[in-house]
Amino acid sequence: MEDFAVKIQGLTVAYDAKPVLSDIDLEIPKGRLTAVMGPNGAGKTTLLKSLLGLIPKVKGEVEFSCVRGKPPKIGYVPQSESIDTDFPVTVLDVVLMGCYGRLGWIRRPSKEDKEFSMEMLSKMKMEQYWDRQISRLSGGQQQRMFIARALAQKADIYFMDEPFKGVDAATEKAIIEILKELRSGGKTVVAVHHDLSTAPEYFDWVTFINNRVIANGPIEQVFVGENLSRTYKAGGVT
Amino acid sequence: MDMAIEIQLIAALTAAGCAIPGSFLLLRRMSMVSDSITHTILLGIVLAFFMVQDLSSPLLLIGAAAMGPVTVWLTELLVKTRLLSEDSATGIVFPLLFSIAVILITRYAGSAHLDTDSVLLGELVFAPFDRLTVFGVDIGAKGLYLSGGLFLLNVTLLLIFFKELQITSFDPVLAAVLGFSPTLMNYGLMTAASLTAVGAFEAVGSILVTAFMIAPPAAAYLLTEDLKKLPVTAVIIGAASGILGYHTAVFLEVSIAGCMAVWTGIFFMAAFVYNVIKRKRGAAAKC
């Protein structure tokens, strides 16, 4: 049995009376890249948000395993369309937000925080855009910025909502490099992923959900035709 | 101090104070909430007045300030039923509370100096007659201290909570993950906006407070892409509208509050035109 990063037992989440997730039992392994896959409306984003504690649960338990004796630090990459790109912030402003968790209330980011954020930007090859307002970035550049922000969080577990959505090929490659680097550093990554063709190459663990858990395990064992058809045909969503 | 200067200072400070919470209401796409709050605080004032029977009591400020979060809470209660959208819920809550306040005033407070006209339009012209005296010494108009105090309060809150306001407005999900409660910041902002609205209420009345809270930040939004410069620009535009509005009103012999609101509109139009030209030039430069 592998060490788990997150253990979910009997999780049920509902909007109104309609359950979006019912009776989810799941162990997400530590130090792996896990893809959460399923058709539209399967509850992938809802699962992520309820793990982050942002949506009230109807019932069930979510347990995070400790990292070095402490609750793990959680990093987060939003779904790109959930962001208001007209908001008056620059690329560096956004990456700096990754440091806010360490600062706590009221304390302001220091020069070191800014330098560290610039470093994370250059890691994503975004340093020349640091003072741009974020609406003047391409989809790929925006995603690189959010990955840089997640890196600035220095988290133990990263939750990413479709990190490859709407990005160019070069960005996709850059992101997957970073994910692998995080894994070698012992970090856990949980990403909502849509592209069936790239999943086996990018991830080493997969969770198929469609309102409930269809399958969960190492990608080479679980990513098979039977599970795919059960995931994408169950529930009447095509 | 000269009466005319006092009026202008009160107007400028009021508008400047409104521009700060207004900037964040605008960024959170909650502009109409300011309209809602500026109406419902009247109920807070009326209820507090019934308790203390004194129009100059500071308790009136507290009653009004408490009504802002109550309004937001009631609105969100309706939104959470998922039966109506946010704007419909706003449209149900504020006329209800406001109309209760108007009925209470006309029925029970007719003899007090709490009449609907002054509530809707404010009485800036009379502000200099209401003096603040300390040990018998006249130290200036009360309105000056009220508007100045609220402006300083807003500046202080902005300086302390800038980072928290930024992250909860821009990315509430990350804010929540990092431990900056978006709900807490939301209610805090609403309380600050309500308090500010009460001050502005005396100067320009409940209807025009919205003009001060939203138009200067909306103009500033079109002029700057820097969150630090946004409230500063909005404060300058608001204060300028107050002063220019006063002079226009004196020159044309019309309502001061009305002229100030017109100036906020003129500034917005100018910013809009500037923004369009800038964008066109930007597009041309790319070719």
Side-chain angles (χ1 to χ4, degrees), chain A residues 107-156:
Chain A
R107 255 174 70 202
R108 280 171 223 200
S110 63
K111 211 177 140 220
E112 285 75 40
D113 291 320
K114 281 180 192 161
E115 282 165 6
F116 178 67
S117 301
M118 276 307 281
E119 235 174 84
M120 295 306 110
L121 271 175
S122 35
K123 207 166 181 169
M124 296 310 295
K125 300 195 175 57
M126 282 288 292
E127 68 277 19
Q128 70 268 41
Y129 304 118
W130 69 275
D131 62 346
R132 259 202 206 180
Q133 198 278 327
I134 58 169
S135 65
R136 286 202 289 277
L137 298 176
S138 70
Q141 289 166 337
Q142 268 173 30
Q143 203 60 26
R144 283 168 190 246
M145 168 184 79
F146 282 120
I147 301 279
R149 181 176 80 174
L151 295 177
Q153 283 183 257
K154 294 188 193 164
D156 304 303

Tab-separated table of all heavy atoms in Angstrom, chain A residues 107-156:
chain	number	residue	atom	x	y	z
A	107	ARG	N	1.237	41.803	7.215
A	107	ARG	CA	2.628	41.954	6.778
A	107	ARG	C	2.734	42.042	5.262
A	107	ARG	O	2.043	41.345	4.539
A	107	ARG	CB	3.465	40.774	7.272
A	107	ARG	CG	4.354	41.141	8.442
A	107	ARG	CD	5.039	39.919	8.991
A	107	ARG	NE	6.057	39.402	8.084
A	107	ARG	CZ	6.480	38.136	8.125
A	107	ARG	NH1	5.952	37.291	8.977
A	107	ARG	NH2	7.417	37.740	7.290
A	108	ARG	N	3.603	42.916	4.801
A	108	ARG	CA	3.724	43.106	3.349
A	108	ARG	C	4.879	42.312	2.761
A	108	ARG	O	5.845	42.026	3.469
A	108	ARG	CB	3.975	44.588	3.069
A	108	ARG	CG	2.689	45.359	3.125
A	108	ARG	CD	3.001	46.799	3.059
A	108	ARG	NE	2.181	47.504	4.011
A	108	ARG	CZ	1.942	48.791	3.922
A	108	ARG	NH1	2.500	49.500	2.976
A	108	ARG	NH2	1.167	49.371	4.799
A	109	PRO	N	4.786	41.991	1.463
A	109	PRO	CA	5.892	41.253	0.844
A	109	PRO	C	7.192	42.060	0.882
A	109	PRO	O	7.191	43.282	0.674
A	109	PRO	CB	5.424	41.025	-0.596
A	109	PRO	CG	4.189	41.832	-0.778
A	109	PRO	CD	3.650	42.172	0.571
A	110	SER	N	8.287	41.374	1.174
A	110	SER	CA	9.584	42.041	1.296
A	110	SER	C	10.301	42.007	-0.045
A	110	SER	O	9.812	41.438	-1.021
A	110	SER	CB	10.425	41.309	2.335
A	110	SER	OG	10.651	39.988	1.868
A	111	LYS	N	11.493	42.607	-0.050
A	111	LYS	CA	12.322	42.591	-1.253
A	111	LYS	C	12.691	41.146	-1.618
A	111	LYS	O	12.714	40.774	-2.794
A	111	LYS	CB	13.599	43.399	-0.973
A	111	LYS	CG	14.148	44.074	-2.210
A	111	LYS	CD	15.357	44.920	-1.854
A	111	LYS	CE	16.401	44.780	-2.933
A	111	LYS	NZ	17.767	44.696	-2.426
A	112	GLU	N	12.944	40.330	-0.589
A	112	GLU	CA	13.298	38.923	-0.834
A	112	GLU	C	12.139	38.191	-1.510
A	112	GLU	O	12.355	37.375	-2.406
A	112	GLU	CB	13.645	38.201	0.475
A	112	GLU	CG	15.006	38.542	1.070
A	112	GLU	CD	15.025	39.903	1.732
A	112	GLU	OE1	14.028	40.250	2.402
A	112	GLU	OE2	16.013	40.643	1.561
A	113	ASP	N	10.905	38.489	-1.038
A	113	ASP	CA	9.741	37.853	-1.646
A	113	ASP	C	9.661	38.214	-3.124
A	113	ASP	O	9.343	37.384	-3.972
A	113	ASP	CB	8.456	38.295	-0.946
A	113	ASP	CG	8.363	37.753	0.472
A	113	ASP	OD1	8.732	36.588	0.661
A	113	ASP	OD2	7.927	38.492	1.369
A	114	LYS	N	9.959	39.491	-3.430
A	114	LYS	CA	9.899	39.929	-4.825
A	114	LYS	C	10.973	39.231	-5.655
A	114	LYS	O	10.712	38.789	-6.779
A	114	LYS	CB	10.053	41.448	-4.914
A	114	LYS	CG	8.752	42.141	-4.568
A	114	LYS	CD	8.842	43.645	-4.640
A	114	LYS	CE	7.583	44.198	-3.992
A	114	LYS	NZ	7.675	45.569	-3.581
A	115	GLU	N	12.169	39.142	-5.078
A	115	GLU	CA	13.263	38.479	-5.808
A	115	GLU	C	12.936	37.003	-6.047
A	115	GLU	O	13.146	36.485	-7.138
A	115	GLU	CB	14.575	38.617	-5.027
A	115	GLU	CG	15.200	39.988	-5.197
A	115	GLU	CD	16.287	40.270	-4.162
A	115	GLU	OE1	16.629	39.350	-3.377
A	115	GLU	OE2	16.773	41.402	-4.143
A	116	PHE	N	12.383	36.377	-5.008
A	116	PHE	CA	12.018	34.965	-5.132
A	116	PHE	C	10.934	34.780	-6.199
A	116	PHE	O	11.004	33.859	-7.023
A	116	PHE	CB	11.532	34.445	-3.770
A	116	PHE	CG	11.081	33.018	-3.800
A	116	PHE	CD1	11.988	31.991	-4.021
A	116	PHE	CD2	9.746	32.698	-3.626
A	116	PHE	CE1	11.568	30.672	-4.060
A	116	PHE	CE2	9.314	31.380	-3.664
A	116	PHE	CZ	10.235	30.368	-3.885
A	117	SER	N	9.960	35.698	-6.224
A	117	SER	CA	8.892	35.614	-7.227
A	117	SER	C	9.451	35.798	-8.634
A	117	SER	O	9.030	35.118	-9.573
A	117	SER	CB	7.820	36.675	-6.961
A	117	SER	OG	7.283	36.498	-5.679
A	118	MET	N	10.428	36.708	-8.775
A	118	MET	CA	11.061	36.909	-10.081
A	118	MET	C	11.790	35.631	-10.517
A	118	MET	O	11.762	35.254	-11.685
A	118	MET	CB	12.064	38.076	-10.020
A	118	MET	CG	11.466	39.455	-10.212
A	118	MET	SD	10.460	39.653	-11.691
A	118	MET	CE	11.717	39.846	-12.935
A	119	GLU	N	12.411	34.971	-9.547
A	119	GLU	CA	13.105	33.714	-9.832
A	119	GLU	C	12.121	32.663	-10.379
A	119	GLU	O	12.417	31.958	-11.342
A	119	GLU	CB	13.682	33.177	-8.521
A	119	GLU	CG	15.160	32.899	-8.509
A	119	GLU	CD	15.575	32.514	-7.099
A	119	GLU	OE1	15.437	31.333	-6.750
A	119	GLU	OE2	16.001	33.419	-6.346
A	120	MET	N	10.954	32.583	-9.724
A	120	MET	CA	9.946	31.613	-10.155
A	120	MET	C	9.448	31.967	-11.561
A	120	MET	O	9.177	31.102	-12.376
A	120	MET	CB	8.761	31.577	-9.180
A	120	MET	CG	9.094	31.078	-7.799
A	120	MET	SD	9.901	29.454	-7.817
A	120	MET	CE	11.561	29.847	-7.317
A	121	LEU	N	9.367	33.287	-11.832
A	121	LEU	CA	8.960	33.725	-13.171
A	121	LEU	C	9.995	33.313	-14.203
A	121	LEU	O	9.643	32.846	-15.296
A	121	LEU	CB	8.782	35.249	-13.201
A	121	LEU	CG	7.385	35.763	-12.848
A	121	LEU	CD1	7.393	37.284	-12.809
A	121	LEU	CD2	6.359	35.263	-13.857
A	122	SER	N	11.267	33.473	-13.871
A	122	SER	CA	12.277	33.116	-14.877
A	122	SER	C	12.321	31.604	-15.067
A	122	SER	O	12.648	31.126	-16.146
A	122	SER	CB	13.652	33.686	-14.544
A	122	SER	OG	13.885	33.705	-13.190
A	123	LYS	N	11.963	30.876	-14.023
A	123	LYS	CA	11.865	29.424	-14.159
A	123	LYS	C	10.841	29.050	-15.235
A	123	LYS	O	10.987	28.052	-15.947
A	123	LYS	CB	11.433	28.833	-12.816
A	123	LYS	CG	11.894	27.440	-12.623
A	123	LYS	CD	11.752	27.029	-11.177
A	123	LYS	CE	12.261	25.625	-11.054
A	123	LYS	NZ	12.415	25.196	-9.707
A	124	MET	N	9.792	29.848	-15.331
A	124	MET	CA	8.766	29.604	-16.339
A	124	MET	C	9.032	30.439	-17.607
A	124	MET	O	8.156	30.583	-18.447
A	124	MET	CB	7.372	29.943	-15.796
A	124	MET	CG	6.904	29.084	-14.633
A	124	MET	SD	7.050	27.299	-14.892
A	124	MET	CE	5.903	27.013	-16.222
A	125	LYS	N	10.233	31.012	-17.712
A	125	LYS	CA	10.624	31.862	-18.846
A	125	LYS	C	9.638	33.012	-19.066
A	125	LYS	O	9.216	33.298	-20.185
A	125	LYS	CB	10.745	31.033	-20.129
A	125	LYS	CG	11.780	29.937	-20.001
A	125	LYS	CD	12.166	29.360	-21.347
A	125	LYS	CE	13.277	28.352	-21.213
A	125	LYS	NZ	12.950	27.235	-20.286
A	126	MET	N	9.251	33.646	-17.969
A	126	MET	CA	8.267	34.718	-18.045
A	126	MET	C	8.831	36.026	-17.504
A	126	MET	O	8.111	37.003	-17.342
A	126	MET	CB	7.024	34.336	-17.214
A	126	MET	CG	6.101	33.374	-17.884
A	126	MET	SD	5.206	34.158	-19.225
A	126	MET	CE	4.162	35.272	-18.294
A	127	GLU	N	10.161	36.059	-17.190
A	127	GLU	CA	10.687	37.213	-16.465
A	127	GLU	C	10.577	38.516	-17.254
A	127	GLU	O	10.394	39.583	-16.680
A	127	GLU	CB	12.134	36.962	-15.998
A	127	GLU	CG	13.183	36.878	-17.101
A	127	GLU	CD	13.256	35.489	-17.756
A	127	GLU	OE1	12.297	34.710	-17.626
A	127	GLU	OE2	14.268	35.205	-18.422
A	128	GLN	N	10.607	38.419	-18.604
A	128	GLN	CA	10.540	39.677	-19.357
A	128	GLN	C	9.147	40.309	-19.342
A	128	GLN	O	8.984	41.448	-19.727
A	128	GLN	CB	11.030	39.494	-20.808
A	128	GLN	CG	10.118	38.681	-21.712
A	128	GLN	CD	10.495	37.193	-21.720
A	128	GLN	OE1	10.820	36.598	-20.694
A	128	GLN	NE2	10.471	36.580	-22.883
A	129	TYR	N	8.150	39.560	-18.879
A	129	TYR	CA	6.786	40.104	-18.838
A	129	TYR	C	6.371	40.564	-17.444
A	129	TYR	O	5.201	40.798	-17.201
A	129	TYR	CB	5.785	39.035	-19.313
A	129	TYR	CG	6.079	38.482	-20.673
A	129	TYR	CD1	6.375	37.129	-20.843
A	129	TYR	CD2	6.066	39.314	-21.791
A	129	TYR	CE1	6.655	36.613	-22.092
A	129	TYR	CE2	6.353	38.805	-23.053
A	129	TYR	CZ	6.647	37.456	-23.198
A	129	TYR	OH	6.924	36.957	-24.437
A	130	TRP	N	7.312	40.657	-16.506
A	130	TRP	CA	6.959	40.849	-15.097
A	130	TRP	C	6.064	42.055	-14.844
A	130	TRP	O	5.227	42.012	-13.950
A	130	TRP	CB	8.218	40.952	-14.232
A	130	TRP	CG	8.989	42.224	-14.474
A	130	TRP	CD1	9.906	42.438	-15.450
A	130	TRP	CD2	8.881	43.435	-13.744
A	130	TRP	NE1	10.389	43.723	-15.390
A	130	TRP	CE2	9.778	44.355	-14.337
A	130	TRP	CE3	8.128	43.849	-12.636
A	130	TRP	CZ2	9.923	45.664	-13.869
A	130	TRP	CZ3	8.275	45.145	-12.170
A	130	TRP	CH2	9.174	46.040	-12.785
A	131	ASP	N	6.215	43.138	-15.630
A	131	ASP	CA	5.411	44.326	-15.310
A	131	ASP	C	4.211	44.484	-16.242
A	131	ASP	O	3.610	45.550	-16.302
A	131	ASP	CB	6.279	45.593	-15.324
A	131	ASP	CG	6.882	45.845	-16.692
A	131	ASP	OD1	6.861	44.919	-17.539
A	131	ASP	OD2	7.379	46.965	-16.933
A	132	ARG	N	3.847	43.434	-16.953
A	132	ARG	CA	2.684	43.513	-17.831
A	132	ARG	C	1.385	43.322	-17.080
A	132	ARG	O	1.306	42.479	-16.190
A	132	ARG	CB	2.762	42.404	-18.872
A	132	ARG	CG	3.247	42.953	-20.153
A	132	ARG	CD	2.845	42.088	-21.296
A	132	ARG	NE	3.818	42.327	-22.333
A	132	ARG	CZ	3.801	41.749	-23.506
A	132	ARG	NH1	2.874	40.866	-23.789
A	132	ARG	NH2	4.704	42.039	-24.394
A	133	GLN	N	0.362	44.088	-17.470
A	133	GLN	CA	-0.975	43.823	-16.946
A	133	GLN	C	-1.420	42.496	-17.556
A	133	GLN	O	-1.145	42.216	-18.722
A	133	GLN	CB	-1.911	44.971	-17.321
A	133	GLN	CG	-3.187	45.059	-16.496
A	133	GLN	CD	-4.273	44.123	-16.982
A	133	GLN	OE1	-4.360	43.873	-18.168
A	133	GLN	NE2	-5.077	43.602	-16.070
A	134	ILE	N	-2.105	41.661	-16.774
A	134	ILE	CA	-2.276	40.265	-17.168
A	134	ILE	C	-3.185	40.032	-18.376
A	134	ILE	O	-3.137	38.966	-18.970
A	134	ILE	CB	-2.766	39.392	-15.987
A	134	ILE	CG1	-4.078	39.931	-15.433
A	134	ILE	CG2	-1.726	39.330	-14.889
A	134	ILE	CD1	-4.741	38.970	-14.458
A	135	SER	N	-3.991	41.022	-18.767
A	135	SER	CA	-4.840	40.807	-19.949
A	135	SER	C	-4.004	40.817	-21.225
A	135	SER	O	-4.450	40.357	-22.263
A	135	SER	CB	-5.933	41.872	-20.033
A	135	SER	OG	-5.351	43.138	-20.234
A	136	ARG	N	-2.767	41.359	-21.134
A	136	ARG	CA	-1.931	41.397	-22.338
A	136	ARG	C	-0.990	40.198	-22.419
A	136	ARG	O	0.105	40.297	-22.955
A	136	ARG	CB	-1.157	42.713	-22.378
A	136	ARG	CG	-2.073	43.879	-22.757
A	136	ARG	CD	-1.313	45.047	-23.307
A	136	ARG	NE	-0.553	45.723	-22.280
A	136	ARG	CZ	-1.082	46.624	-21.469
A	136	ARG	NH1	-2.333	46.953	-21.582
A	136	ARG	NH2	-0.352	47.192	-20.547
A	137	LEU	N	-1.435	39.080	-21.861
A	137	LEU	CA	-0.672	37.834	-21.982
A	137	LEU	C	-1.480	36.865	-22.823
A	137	LEU	O	-2.714	36.929	-22.837
A	137	LEU	CB	-0.466	37.208	-20.608
A	137	LEU	CG	0.321	37.966	-19.543
A	137	LEU	CD1	0.291	37.178	-18.250
A	137	LEU	CD2	1.761	38.199	-19.982
A	138	SER	N	-0.797	35.949	-23.496
A	138	SER	CA	-1.516	34.886	-24.204
A	138	SER	C	-1.987	33.864	-23.170
A	138	SER	O	-1.573	33.911	-22.003
A	138	SER	CB	-0.581	34.220	-25.200
A	138	SER	OG	0.389	33.477	-24.507
A	139	GLY	N	-2.833	32.938	-23.603
A	139	GLY	CA	-3.331	31.904	-22.694
A	139	GLY	C	-2.193	31.115	-22.063
A	139	GLY	O	-2.197	30.828	-20.867
A	140	GLY	N	-1.189	30.785	-22.885
A	140	GLY	CA	-0.046	30.024	-22.395
A	140	GLY	C	0.766	30.804	-21.375
A	140	GLY	O	1.176	30.266	-20.346
A	141	GLN	N	0.963	32.096	-21.661
A	141	GLN	CA	1.727	32.935	-20.725
A	141	GLN	C	0.996	33.080	-19.395
A	141	GLN	O	1.613	33.057	-18.327
A	141	GLN	CB	1.973	34.322	-21.344
A	141	GLN	CG	2.974	34.271	-22.492
A	141	GLN	CD	2.962	35.546	-23.317
A	141	GLN	OE1	1.972	36.284	-23.339
A	141	GLN	NE2	4.057	35.807	-24.004
A	142	GLN	N	-0.348	33.218	-19.468
A	142	GLN	CA	-1.123	33.308	-18.235
A	142	GLN	C	-0.936	32.056	-17.389
A	142	GLN	O	-0.757	32.123	-16.176
A	142	GLN	CB	-2.609	33.469	-18.561
A	142	GLN	CG	-3.043	34.911	-18.637
A	142	GLN	CD	-4.479	35.031	-19.120
A	142	GLN	OE1	-5.305	34.148	-18.897
A	142	GLN	NE2	-4.778	36.113	-19.797
A	143	GLN	N	-0.981	30.908	-18.049
A	143	GLN	CA	-0.845	29.654	-17.325
A	143	GLN	C	0.545	29.535	-16.707
A	143	GLN	O	0.680	29.099	-15.569
A	143	GLN	CB	-1.142	28.485	-18.267
A	143	GLN	CG	-1.572	27.227	-17.567
A	143	GLN	CD	-2.840	27.410	-16.746
A	143	GLN	OE1	-3.662	28.273	-17.024
A	143	GLN	NE2	-2.979	26.628	-15.704
A	144	ARG	N	1.582	29.964	-17.451
A	144	ARG	CA	2.941	29.943	-16.892
A	144	ARG	C	3.013	30.809	-15.642
A	144	ARG	O	3.668	30.457	-14.657
A	144	ARG	CB	3.946	30.482	-17.909
A	144	ARG	CG	4.302	29.505	-18.996
A	144	ARG	CD	5.066	30.240	-20.083
A	144	ARG	NE	5.226	29.399	-21.246
A	144	ARG	CZ	6.414	28.948	-21.674
A	144	ARG	NH1	7.515	29.296	-21.060
A	144	ARG	NH2	6.482	28.183	-22.736
A	145	MET	N	2.331	31.963	-15.702
A	145	MET	CA	2.319	32.863	-14.545
A	145	MET	C	1.689	32.175	-13.334
A	145	MET	O	2.221	32.246	-12.222
A	145	MET	CB	1.534	34.121	-14.921
A	145	MET	CG	1.175	35.021	-13.763
A	145	MET	SD	0.160	36.393	-14.325
A	145	MET	CE	-1.446	35.604	-14.461
A	146	PHE	N	0.563	31.470	-13.571
A	146	PHE	CA	-0.105	30.821	-12.440
A	146	PHE	C	0.723	29.652	-11.892
A	146	PHE	O	0.701	29.368	-10.698
A	146	PHE	CB	-1.509	30.359	-12.825
A	146	PHE	CG	-2.496	31.495	-12.834
A	146	PHE	CD1	-3.178	31.838	-13.989
A	146	PHE	CD2	-2.731	32.234	-11.682
A	146	PHE	CE1	-4.079	32.898	-13.989
A	146	PHE	CE2	-3.628	33.290	-11.671
A	146	PHE	CZ	-4.305	33.627	-12.835
A	147	ILE	N	1.468	28.975	-12.783
A	147	ILE	CA	2.354	27.909	-12.302
A	147	ILE	C	3.478	28.533	-11.474
A	147	ILE	O	3.829	28.027	-10.397
A	147	ILE	CB	2.941	27.102	-13.478
A	147	ILE	CG1	1.821	26.470	-14.332
A	147	ILE	CG2	3.933	26.054	-12.983
A	147	ILE	CD1	1.230	25.198	-13.818
A	148	ALA	N	4.004	29.671	-11.949
A	148	ALA	CA	5.048	30.365	-11.181
A	148	ALA	C	4.511	30.757	-9.809
A	148	ALA	O	5.209	30.655	-8.797
A	148	ALA	CB	5.534	31.608	-11.939
A	149	ARG	N	3.259	31.192	-9.757
A	149	ARG	CA	2.664	31.563	-8.476
A	149	ARG	C	2.544	30.340	-7.562
A	149	ARG	O	2.830	30.422	-6.372
A	149	ARG	CB	1.282	32.187	-8.688
A	149	ARG	CG	0.636	32.603	-7.381
A	149	ARG	CD	-0.665	33.309	-7.585
A	149	ARG	NE	-1.745	32.373	-7.841
A	149	ARG	CZ	-3.024	32.727	-7.951
A	149	ARG	NH1	-3.359	34.003	-7.852
A	149	ARG	NH2	-3.948	31.837	-8.187
A	150	ALA	N	2.145	29.203	-8.170
A	150	ALA	CA	2.038	27.981	-7.373
A	150	ALA	C	3.406	27.589	-6.817
A	150	ALA	O	3.530	27.193	-5.659
A	150	ALA	CB	1.457	26.855	-8.220
A	151	LEU	N	4.465	27.746	-7.640
A	151	LEU	CA	5.814	27.430	-7.164
A	151	LEU	C	6.208	28.356	-6.021
A	151	LEU	O	6.839	27.945	-5.053
A	151	LEU	CB	6.823	27.559	-8.312
A	151	LEU	CG	6.669	26.567	-9.463
A	151	LEU	CD1	7.690	26.875	-10.553
A	151	LEU	CD2	6.842	25.134	-8.972
A	152	ALA	N	5.799	29.636	-6.145
A	152	ALA	CA	6.120	30.605	-5.094
A	152	ALA	C	5.455	30.236	-3.774
A	152	ALA	O	5.901	30.654	-2.708
A	152	ALA	CB	5.691	32.011	-5.523
A	153	GLN	N	4.392	29.433	-3.836
A	153	GLN	CA	3.726	29.002	-2.608
A	153	GLN	C	4.551	27.988	-1.817
A	153	GLN	O	4.270	27.755	-0.659
A	153	GLN	CB	2.360	28.381	-2.932
A	153	GLN	CG	1.281	29.391	-3.246
A	153	GLN	CD	-0.048	28.694	-3.469
A	153	GLN	OE1	-0.512	28.523	-4.570
A	153	GLN	NE2	-0.660	28.287	-2.378
A	154	LYS	N	5.545	27.376	-2.459
A	154	LYS	CA	6.373	26.330	-1.827
A	154	LYS	C	5.485	25.306	-1.125
A	154	LYS	O	5.686	25.000	0.051
A	154	LYS	CB	7.329	26.934	-0.803
A	154	LYS	CG	8.397	27.838	-1.392
A	154	LYS	CD	9.388	28.190	-0.292
A	154	LYS	CE	10.308	29.321	-0.691
A	154	LYS	NZ	11.000	29.907	0.460
A	155	ALA	N	4.506	24.778	-1.846
A	155	ALA	CA	3.529	23.894	-1.228
A	155	ALA	C	4.021	22.451	-1.198
A	155	ALA	O	5.026	22.108	-1.823
A	155	ALA	CB	2.213	23.988	-1.985
A	156	ASP	N	3.284	21.608	-0.468
A	156	ASP	CA	3.574	20.176	-0.457
A	156	ASP	C	2.646	19.429	-1.413
A	156	ASP	O	3.032	18.443	-2.016
A	156	ASP	CB	3.403	19.608	0.951
A	156	ASP	CG	4.272	20.348	1.958
A	156	ASP	OD1	5.492	20.385	1.749
A	156	ASP	OD2	3.726	20.914	2.919
